[in-house]
């Protein structure tokens, strides 16, 4: 599409810009006509610092803030609940207040882990949140802080993010597959993997429509298409990686998550229903399998 189609330009501050989604979004918005991204990593803006938030927002006066910053280590959150709450609840709350004071809409990422995982058929936006652990609770309370402080918000819950960088299930399991003969994957944890690039695509599509002035504030779900388990995802990962490298792993063992001795409890089934996003913005789910192939290609240096 030619740049001349976009007559106005939207300045978008991206927080947590060095993370999986923050990085993907920065790269995408840098190529997007009519959008001026202002990526800020934690060193440039720590969202637990209220005065730094005010300073940066007053300085840049963006049209939108997209918050990709978060404390995302689910087991560590059980050991360090204060850190998790300081970032995901209190930092997000003060970000929303600063946005409200300057009338800047906020797009916030949240998680499938706000749900307890008992609905095997999947969760829609109106279903009751009932987090099982500290991480999920901190994300839910961050959502609520936004709803209290700022009408012009869009909370996008996503799930099981993977990318070629950062800390994620894909990279951790690939590393183990390179060094261990037998690896285990939970076959009783259902969800929908979502690539960081796909989340960035969805955010851009939302921003495009917000810049048209439509009033669609509220909570939405997005995840990659096709429900799987941690085992199913890992099986697809190993098949894709074997196209490029001989892996040490000989056996991928399906196990119950309870046998993996994790500190935090995770939802058994955290499928997000994405109909509202389709009905409101016309955004369709993209299959995670094709995204997985693309990310694996990227890992092996073939773009
Ligand atoms: N990863 C996943 O599977 C899912 C993630 N989400 C949500 O999506 C969003 C993006 O996730 P993802 O890209 O995976 O996250 P990452 O963990 O990859 O990145 C988060 C970024 O936030 C930064 N950060 C942490 N604390 C602060 C702070 N106090 N102030 C500013 N920046 C901070 C981190 O910096 P540093 O590395 O220096 O700590 C990191 O760069 C988050 O809100 C997350 O909760 C939702 C569902 C699934
Ligand atoms: C150690 C291990 C775990 N597992 C399973 C058990 C458990 O369900 C899951 C835990 O892996 P991780 O710690 O990477 O996953 P986790 O940190 O729970 O991932 C979550 O992160 C947060 C930020 C979210 O918002 C969620 O959507 C989700 O992506 O993987 C295996 O299958 N094999 C293993 O060897």
């Amino acid at each position: 599409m030619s740049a001349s189609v976009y007559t106005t330009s939207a300045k978008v501050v991206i927080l947590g810009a060095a993370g999986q989604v923050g990085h993907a979004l920065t790269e995408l918005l840098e190529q997007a006509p009519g959008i001026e991204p202002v990526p800020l990593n934690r060193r440039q803006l720590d969202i637990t610092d209220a005065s730094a938030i005010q300073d940066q927002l007053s300085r840049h006066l963006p049209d939108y803030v997209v918050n990709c910053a978060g404390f995302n280590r689910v087991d560590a959150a059980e050991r360090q609940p204060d850190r998790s709450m300081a970032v995901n609840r209190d930092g997000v709350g003060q970000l929303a207040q600063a946005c409200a004071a300057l009338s800047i809409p906020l797009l916030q990422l949240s998680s499938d882990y706000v749900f307890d995982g008992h609905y095997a058929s999947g969760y829609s936006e109106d279903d009751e949140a009932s987090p099982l652990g500290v991480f999920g609770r901190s994300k839910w309370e961050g959502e609520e802080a936004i709803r209290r402080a700022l009408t012009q918000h869009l909370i996008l819950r996503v799930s099981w993010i993977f990318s070629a960088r950062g800390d994620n299930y894909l990279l951790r399991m690939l590393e183990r597959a390179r060094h261990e003969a037998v690896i285990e994957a939970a076959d009783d944890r259902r969800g929908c993997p979502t690539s960081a690039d796909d989340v960035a695509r969805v955010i851009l599509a939302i921003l495009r429509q917000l810049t048209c002035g439509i009033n669609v504030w509220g909570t939405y779900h997005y995840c990659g298409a096709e429900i799987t388990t941690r085992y199913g995802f890992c099986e697809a990962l190993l098949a894709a990686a074997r196209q490029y490298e001989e892996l040490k792993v000989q056996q991928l063992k399906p196990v119950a998550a309870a046998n993996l001795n994790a500190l935090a409890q995770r939802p058994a089934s955290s499928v997000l229903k994405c109909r509202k996003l389709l009905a409101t913005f016309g955004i369709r789910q993209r299959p995670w399998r094709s995204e997985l192939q693309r990310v694996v290609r990227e890992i092996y240096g073939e773009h």
Side-chain angles (χ1 to χ4, degrees):
M1 196 173 288
S2 103
S4 60
V5 170
Y6 300 99
T7 49
T8 55
S9 123
K11 193 193 261 195
V12 181
V13 158
I14 302 165
L15 303 179
Q20 298 189 80
V21 176
H23 176 80
L25 184 63
T26 301
E27 285 203 327
L28 187 65
L29 297 197
E30 277 169 352
Q31 307 298 321
I35 295 201
E36 181 193 343
V38 181
L40 300 174
N41 60 29
R42 169 145 67 142
R43 200 175 28 78
Q44 293 161 307
L45 177 53
D46 184 326
I47 64 166
T48 62
D49 181 343
S51 67
I53 294 176
Q54 276 159 18
D55 288 352
Q56 289 283 9
L57 294 191
S58 318
R59 181 169 149 224
H60 293 291
L61 285 178
D63 298 287
Y64 301 98
V65 172
V66 181
N67 183 30
C68 304
F71 183 89
N72 296 319
R73 286 176 294 133
V74 175
D75 287 322
E78 300 294 319
R79 283 189 298 268
Q80 302 172 287
D82 294 353
R83 274 194 70 191
S84 179
M85 290 293 173
V87 180
N88 296 342
R89 178 191 62 194
D90 304 335
V92 166
Q94 59 203 21
L95 177 62
Q97 285 170 17
C99 286
L102 293 165
S103 298
I104 303 169
L106 171 65
L107 198 154
Q108 165 70 24
L109 287 165
S110 189
S111 166
D112 54 329
Y113 280 21
V114 302
F115 297 115
D116 60 20
H118 295 141
Y119 280 10
S121 60
Y123 288 90
S124 60
E125 291 77 357
D126 295 333
D127 286 324
E128 194 185 337
S130 176
L132 296 173
V134 173
F135 167 76
R137 203 159 63 242
S138 70
K139 294 299 284 185
W140 168 246
E141 291 182 11
E143 288 189 11
E144 288 286 85
I146 294 175
R147 293 187 187 101
R148 282 194 298 275
L150 177 69
T151 307
Q152 291 184 303
H153 70 259
L154 202 144
I155 294 166
L156 182 67
R157 294 188 186 129
V158 294
S159 63
W160 292 23
I161 294 178
F162 63 93
S163 69
R165 64 200 309 280
D167 180 31
N168 60 56
Y169 182 74
L170 181 157
L171 292 175
R172 237 173 289 136
M173 294 308 276
L174 182 56
E175 199 47 30
R176 295 181 68 171
R178 283 177 172 144
H179 298 109
E180 296 170 34
V182 180
I183 60 173
E184 299 179 325
D187 65 353
D188 58 353
R189 290 292 172 270
R190 294 168 78 243
C192 296
T194 315
S195 82
D197 287 320
D198 197 21
V199 177
R201 168 187 75 89
V202 169
I203 293 172
L204 174 57
I206 291 171
L207 288 172
R208 284 269 182 246
Q209 299 192 47
L210 294 180
T211 58
C212 300
I214 52 171
N215 188 351
V216 284
W217 309 118
T219 303
Y220 294 85
H221 287 175
Y222 181 76
C223 58
E226 198 198 330
I227 300 168
T228 188
T229 59
R230 293 288 185 181
Y231 176 86
F233 181 73
C234 201
E235 197 177 35
L237 164 66
L238 299 187
R242 282 193 176 112
Q243 297 173 317
Y244 298 92
E245 175 184 18
E246 203 171 313
L247 299 169
K248 176 158 184 191
V249 71
Q250 296 299 314
Q251 191 192 358
L252 174 64
K253 246 173 88 177
V255 293
N259 293 338
L260 292 164
N261 297 320
L263 201 55
Q265 244 194 296
R266 273 110 170 143
S269 183
S270 59
V271 174
L272 298 173
K273 288 182 180 161
C274 307
R275 281 197 288 264
K276 185 177 169 190
L277 197 75
L278 175 63
T280 311
F281 293 101
I283 298 171
R284 285 180 195 285
Q285 289 173 274
R286 193 171 268 183
W288 61 260
R289 285 184 191 276
S290 49
E291 287 296 284
L292 174 66
Q293 289 293 337
R294 194 184 49 69
V295 166
V296 168
R297 258 200 318 275
E298 192 183 335
I299 290 170
Y300 289 96
E302 290 188 16
H303 299 273

